[in-house]
Amino acid sequence: MTQGWELIISSTPAAARRQHRPAARRALTATLAVGTALAAVVLTAPAAHAAESDISFSDVVINDGKPVVVGLSAEVEASLTYTVKSKVALDSWWVQAYQGASSTDAYGLANTTTQWSCRQSSAGGYTYRDCDETMTIDPDDMPGGNGNKLVNSDATVWRTVGTAIKKNGGYDTDRLSGTVRLQRASRIQSANATPEPVTKGKQITVTGTVQRVNWSARRYDNYGGRSVKLQFKPAGSSTYSTVKSVTASGTGALKATVTASQDGTWRWRYSGNTTTGASNSAGDHVDVK
């Protein structure tokens, strides 16, 4: 386990132990929020105690290595897999993604984690647990941080930490190498292709507006200056192809003109960036006479 900044339980270890709740499958749920302050863990100065060799976490992967895209209010679930090995008996253990670098500003990403399985094996005097879990992220119910809500600056890379509670009452918690990128959701509103129907060889005008969630203001804002693709799917096909790229106006407005050649569906596709997730507009079908 790595040395350096340490993550420790913000209250007693027992207060942060995993709790059960009903689920479609048998699952163990970790409620990582402890009170309304920082959830479950806080960062303290380096070397509060040495990293312990009898417990370690590895192979931490969140959301299959892809960014997690979160919108305005809906909960988002992301997969979490990792391995924890130990020479000592453990009562419970978990991995959390977090932001912050001190006890005054650190906070976690997931408000609950559902553990579906932890396959257990032994080798070389260690017990290995390969865990499969689901993190639940609620933009309006964050475990600590900025008023317990996501804010725009949270669209960045989050680090991870592992915590293990020993059966003898001790615990160990250390920063890990795994990371996950959190992105603000985008959307494309009011996509419309006109006229409908249209005569073959005539012009079709496709419009729309690209927007991005503003977590800090709790709304979607128009997202100007974005490069957005206009795509077409011929009638009878299941595949869209890009026809052209358009740069949105300063107010996020999209407009493109194309020549009608065959029946099909038009849509806009925004590919996203480091802070913003990708999105597609609804498709608009046009009959060509």
Side-chain angles (χ1 to χ4, degrees):
M1 303 170 79
T2 59
Q3 296 188 18
W5 287 103
E6 283 181 335
L7 215 61
I8 65 170
I9 304 301
S10 61
S11 58
T12 62
R17 290 182 181 178
R18 296 172 183 265
Q19 302 174 6
H20 289 276
R21 72 175 181 187
R25 295 185 279 165
R26 287 186 178 179
L28 187 63
T29 298
T31 302
L32 297 178
V34 179
T36 58
L38 174 63
V41 288
V42 293
L43 289 172
T44 62
H49 68 272
E52 299 186 22
S53 61
D54 56 359
I55 304 172
S56 66
F57 291 80
S58 62
D59 301 324
V60 177
V61 179
I62 298 175
N63 204 37
D64 297 323
K66 299 177 293 185
V68 177
V69 181
V70 179
L72 185 60
S73 59
E75 290 185 351
V76 173
E77 293 186 342
S79 61
L80 166 63
T81 58
Y82 60 89
T83 297
V84 56
K85 76 173 185 177
S86 66
K87 283 187 175 181
V88 297
L90 300 181
D91 182 62
S92 60
W93 56 90
W94 59 87
V95 168
Q96 171 69 300
Y98 72 97
Q99 281 292 336
S102 71
S103 60
T104 59
D105 66 1
Y107 55 101
L109 177 61
N111 59 3
T112 58
T113 300
T114 302
Q115 185 183 101
W116 301 110
S117 67
C118 271
R119 298 177 300 280
Q120 188 168 309
S121 60
S122 299
Y126 285 94
T127 297
Y128 292 80
R129 302 166 184 87
D130 298 314
C131 298
D132 177 11
E133 304 183 356
T134 298
M135 301 173 65
T136 300
I137 302 157
D138 186 339
D140 287 323
D141 186 20
M142 297 291 294
N146 300 283
N148 299 100
K149 297 179 183 292
L150 281 177
V151 294
N152 294 340
S153 59
D154 289 327
T156 186
V157 174
W158 292 60
R159 294 167 289 177
T160 56
V161 66
T163 301
I165 307 297
K166 302 178 183 181
K167 283 192 177 294
N168 67 7
Y171 66 92
D172 191 47
T173 179
D174 291 282
R175 188 174 61 178
L176 309 175
S177 61
T179 61
V180 61
R181 180 174 291 278
L182 189 67
Q183 293 181 326
R184 296 157 64 178
S186 67
R187 68 184 186 185
I188 301 176
Q189 296 288 87
S190 305
N192 188 33
T194 58
E196 303 175 56
V198 63
T199 301
K200 185 174 183 179
K202 296 295 185 180
Q203 297 295 295
I204 298 173
T205 299
V206 187
T207 56
T209 303
V210 59
Q211 298 180 329
R212 177 172 67 162
V213 69
N214 184 333
W215 290 329
S216 299
R218 321 316 295 172
R219 65 175 186 248
Y220 273 88
D221 291 334
N222 293 342
Y223 196 23
R226 301 303 99 193
S227 178
V228 182
K229 298 173 183 177
L230 178 64
Q231 297 186 325
F232 179 71
K233 179 179 68 174
S237 173
S238 60
T239 304
Y240 280 94
S241 297
T242 298
V243 175
K244 62 171 64 176
S245 294
V246 174
T247 299
S249 73
T251 59
L254 300 166
K255 184 177 181 179
T257 301
V258 293
T259 300
S261 60
Q262 58 181 317
D263 294 353
T265 303
W266 296 91
R267 77 172 184 186
W268 295 102
R269 164 74 179 175
Y270 174 56
S271 298
N273 55 40
T274 56
T275 62
T276 309
S279 60
N280 300 317
S281 73
D284 190 11
H285 183 82
V286 176
D287 289 327
V288 178
K289 302 299 186 182

